[in-house]
Amino acid sequence: MGGTRIALALAVPLLLCPGRASGGWEIQQRNYSLRSDGRPQFERVSRLRLAGGKVRLDEDPLVIVIDYAADQMALWLPARKLFWKGSSADYIAELQRPRFVGSRVPEGVRPAIEVTETDGIETIAGYRARKYLVRVDGKPFQEVWVAPDLQLGRDLDPRQLQEFEQRISGALAGRRRRVHEALSRDPAYTGLYRRGFPLRSRSFYGRAVIGREVERIVPADVSAGEFAVPEGFLKAGLLDVLEARDDRGR
């Protein structure tokens, strides 16, 4: 469903790291997923603008803004002039209505997380990045390429990002939820994202894949107004905004 896909997009790739002060950043990235048979499911190019503890994600036709310190989210559709705004708890509550709710998460042992540094090094978006392999209960779950020389300043607090990840993982269903909750609490995994900026990630769900790769990243002057819902937009329910997004072109 669209809502859980957004949750996956927000839960892992936006973990940034501390470093020099800056006025903001702009990132262009490719997001994609592959079905279990290797066929493409979706592919989109999105743009992120971030500064002052806030992130704006433009992924046509949807805009997502997150204020990590305030625990506030906003989603809007420029073409429809519709928006939704609320906390991470509000987001999860609306996704857990019958149209979107997944299986309940069974109680059980928290998945075991293992993070391994590999010898793989590639140049991505102009930066050298090292590959790390993340295993969950002994099985490959994620590959992450981290650029140690790329520090995004203090525009985002890693602690706030990790707390947000823990909260937003509640929008996921079944084992996915348990896995993402375990990742957000694992010192080796959260420490990985303090080593540098993740330029590429591939997560495995059985044979299906969800991936992200940064194509361009540059310092940018980001204004406070970019994180505000435009004037004249009509407030709507979260599901209404997501369904209007999915209805585009039908």
Side-chain angles (χ1 to χ4, degrees), residues 52-189:
K54 301 178 182 179
V55 168
R56 170 175 172 149
L57 172 66
D58 286 76
E59 188 175 271
D60 185 46
L62 187 68
V63 177
I64 304 171
V65 166
I66 306 170
D67 183 335
Y68 291 96
D71 185 27
Q72 287 291 304
M73 304 173 62
L75 289 75
W76 65 83
L77 287 168
R80 300 288 187 91
K81 293 191 174 181
L82 296 176
F83 81 95
W84 173 87
K85 188 174 183 180
S87 67
S88 57
D90 297 330
Y91 178 84
I92 293 168
E94 293 213 32
L95 287 183
Q96 289 177 339
R97 293 181 182 181
R99 284 179 288 176
F100 278 75
V101 70
S103 58
R104 296 183 62 86
V105 181
E107 296 294 331
V109 178
R110 181 180 298 174
I113 308 299
E114 179 185 357
V115 179
T116 304
E117 179 179 314
T118 76
D119 294 331
I121 295 178
E122 293 189 34
T123 299
I124 304 172
Y127 293 89
R128 285 171 58 83
R130 181 175 292 278
K131 178 182 175 181
Y132 293 83
L133 177 62
V134 181
R135 292 182 174 87
V136 175
D137 289 337
K139 297 180 180 180
F141 171 75
Q142 190 177 65
E143 299 170 346
V144 185
W145 283 258
V146 177
D149 295 332
L150 183 56
Q151 303 288 332
L152 297 197
R154 302 191 183 278
D155 286 306
L156 289 176
D157 182 342
R159 178 183 55 82
Q160 293 175 350
L161 288 162
Q162 290 159 16
E163 291 173 353
F164 176 82
E165 179 183 351
Q166 291 177 15
R167 292 191 295 268
I168 207 68
S169 63
L172 304 175
R175 177 171 169 76
R176 287 190 180 188
R177 177 174 173 177
R178 281 222 314 272
V179 168
H180 281 274
E181 287 178 342
L183 288 170
S184 68
R185 290 173 169 82
D186 184 77
Y189 186 78

Side-chain angles (χ1 to χ4, degrees), residues 206-237:
R207 293 185 178 181
V209 177
I210 293 179
R212 177 192 71 96
E213 180 160 350
V214 171
E215 298 178 333
R216 184 174 65 91
I217 178 168
V218 293
D221 292 325
V222 182
S223 68
E226 296 183 44
F227 303 108
V229 177
E231 293 184 5
F233 278 41
L234 178 67
K235 188 173 184 179

